[in-house]
Amino acid sequence: ATALIGAGCGKENPSRKTLDKPQLGIGSTEKEAAEDLGFPGFATKNTTRVGGSDPAANAAAVARAVYPGDEPAQRPAAVALADGSDWRIALAASALMAPPLRAPVLLSDGEKAPAVTVEALRTLAPTGSKRTGGAQVVRVGDVFRPARLKTTDVTGANPFAVARALDAFGAAVRGSASNRVVVVSADAPGYAMPAASWSARSGDPILFVRKDVVPPETRAALKAHRKPQIYVLGPSKIVSPKVTRVLRTLGTVTRVGDQDIASNAVAFARFRDGEFGWGITDPGHGLVFASAARPADAAAAAPLSSSGTYGPLLVLPQAGRLPAAVQQYLLDVQPGYDLDPVRGVYNHGWIIGDAKAIDIGVQAKIDGLLEISPVNAAQEEEPTATTGGASAPKPSTTTTPKPDPSPTTTTRSAP
């Protein structure tokens, strides 16, 4: 089953009343909480929408989806509470969702406490992590201090310093520093967003640069890694060759990405270099879709890439249009079957945000492109995947797809 989840989605739908009580069970405010925290209200075959009206609501819904139970095994040991008013801090906090901490990201509005975040903390009831000295909440940046929960703080004078502090904190939690680092633009959020999903999956830290400047906090963080593999996400118009020349003095540099926001995310989804990168060029995966207009949604959705149907983040620049690069990528990884779809593999899409972020019509197109289809078109009278009304080419993939090697066309060595 798939669904449109979150605040502002189908409040007047009478069928919601039968869903809220058994799923939440939290008393007289359960309908309101269901709308805020994201329980089902609309479904397609192959997509689930977390339909919050802002990143804080989406983060709360995702955290509840990843940790849905009341038993200790289904509750997080710790939760990351990040300052959602600065998307850079929120993105960097995504790394805390990776093993061994596995802390989902909740978002604060600076020192203000969104009601949806407070409620999510209450229902998640983190148990406390030994790796954080028993802390239940990791406060990242200038955020409110939750009542009756043990906290530990990761702070800094600016987003670059917070990212450096998160890098050091992650190394302490893991017991060693990562030998890989993702460097993204601090000024072009649409190009930086895909790093959040990978960081949540791998624990590789996210550090920030300006177009032509490597801030001192980022330099210091990279020096602490002692010549790591540095992956620069984004084209040279976003992170200039001047920056990559400096980065080469601090580690081995590889640039990944493409010229526009949507193609850049697709390039990162395809890319793999040894143990780094998704390398998804075949069917049978989860995919996450978010709006470039809401960069903190990348952090809100990051736990979905580190659990369930693990998969990369694809970024949509416009609410009402599915970019050609994304359509082609979905066709490239669309599942197919020879004889029996029951024996096939399947893709699943998470749609992040309400219809103002990603239009319902776009969700419908994504649903069609994720649908498993017969390799032989004669097996069905009508096509199951379309793009804007035109029949989509049938995939050549069968139920036992072979992964392709990492493409070279979407990877550029740093100049």
Side-chain angles (χ1 to χ4, degrees):
T2 58
L4 174 70
I5 316 180
C9 302
K11 291 184 178 182
E12 302 304 321
N13 184 350
S15 65
R16 293 290 303 276
K17 296 179 180 179
T18 62
L19 294 173
D20 292 342
K21 188 170 183 178
Q23 293 198 38
L24 282 173
I26 54 174
S28 61
T29 63
E30 58 198 5
K31 184 175 187 297
E32 290 81 0
E35 290 163 351
D36 287 341
L37 295 182
F39 288 88
F42 179 83
T44 74
K45 305 182 299 302
N46 304 295
T47 66
T48 303
R49 184 185 287 261
V50 179
S53 59
D54 58 57
N58 290 327
V62 167
R64 290 299 315 279
V66 172
Y67 289 102
D70 294 328
E71 298 297 323
Q74 291 186 307
R75 288 158 49 194
V79 169
L81 178 59
D83 184 0
S85 66
D86 192 314
W87 63 268
R88 296 165 294 189
I89 293 175
L91 250 65
S94 300
L96 299 180
M97 180 59 199
L101 192 56
R102 300 197 59 78
V105 178
L106 295 179
L107 297 176
S108 173
D109 183 10
E111 295 185 355
K112 297 179 182 178
V116 68
T117 301
V118 173
E119 177 62 14
L121 280 170
R122 187 186 73 79
T123 53
L124 288 168
T127 58
S129 170
K130 293 181 181 179
R131 294 178 179 271
T132 61
Q136 298 161 284
V137 176
V138 181
R139 298 172 66 242
V140 183
D142 295 326
V143 298
F144 72 93
R145 189 177 299 278
R148 297 182 295 278
L149 292 175
K150 186 175 181 180
T151 64
T152 188
D153 296 352
V154 179
T155 60
N158 55 54
F160 305 102
V162 173
R164 178 190 177 189
L166 277 166
D167 181 12
F169 180 82
V173 167
R174 290 189 303 270
S176 64
S178 170
N179 65 350
R180 302 182 301 265
V181 176
V182 186
V183 170
V184 300
S185 168
D187 305 306
Y191 288 88
M193 288 170 66
S197 62
W198 175 252
S199 185
R201 165 69 181 87
S202 65
D204 295 342
I206 299 173
L207 299 174
F208 297 93
V209 295
R210 300 289 190 188
K211 179 181 178 181
D212 295 314
V213 176
V214 180
E217 297 88 348
T218 300
R219 286 179 186 250
L222 289 169
K223 286 180 180 178
H225 283 265
R226 299 182 180 181
K227 299 292 183 177
Q229 298 177 56
I230 302 170
Y231 294 89
V232 176
L233 177 56
S236 58
K237 67 181 181 181
I238 300 301
V239 179
S240 74
K242 182 178 180 180
V243 166
T244 55
R245 284 194 293 271
V246 174
L247 295 177
R248 279 204 305 273
T249 68
L250 300 168
T252 303
V253 178
T254 303
R255 186 190 293 274
V256 186
D258 212 331
Q259 294 301 307
D260 64 78
I261 288 172
S263 298
N264 185 71
V266 169
F268 193 53
R270 292 182 182 275
F271 178 76
R272 189 170 182 87
D273 179 24
E275 294 183 354
F276 179 89
W278 294 103
I280 291 181
T281 57
D282 57 345
H285 304 282
L287 299 166
V288 184
F289 301 82
S291 168
R294 298 183 184 178
D297 273 348
L304 298 172
S305 297
S306 187
S307 57
T309 54
Y310 294 69
L313 175 70
L314 301 177
V315 184
L316 309 186
Q318 300 176 19
R321 186 176 72 88
L322 188 64
V326 176
Q327 292 190 48
Q328 185 58 56
Y329 179 62
L330 296 182
L331 285 170
D332 290 346
V333 300
Q334 186 178 27
Y337 66 93
D338 284 325
L339 299 174
D340 185 357
V342 175
R343 306 302 173 192
V345 297
Y346 304 93
N347 289 343
H348 180 267
W350 289 92
I351 311 297
I352 307 302
D354 58 14
K356 292 181 180 179
I358 299 176
D359 187 78
I360 300 297
V362 171
Q363 181 182 6
K365 288 184 178 180
I366 292 171
D367 177 81
L369 290 165
L370 296 175
E371 178 77 4
I372 188 169
S373 300
V375 174
N376 184 351
Q379 290 176 250
E380 286 194 359
E381 294 182 0
E382 297 183 5
T384 57
T386 61
T387 54
S391 296
K394 292 299 175 185
S396 59
T397 315
T398 64
T399 57
T400 55
K402 297 180 180 179
D404 296 330
S406 297
T408 58
T409 55
T410 56
T411 308
R412 299 182 178 86
S413 296

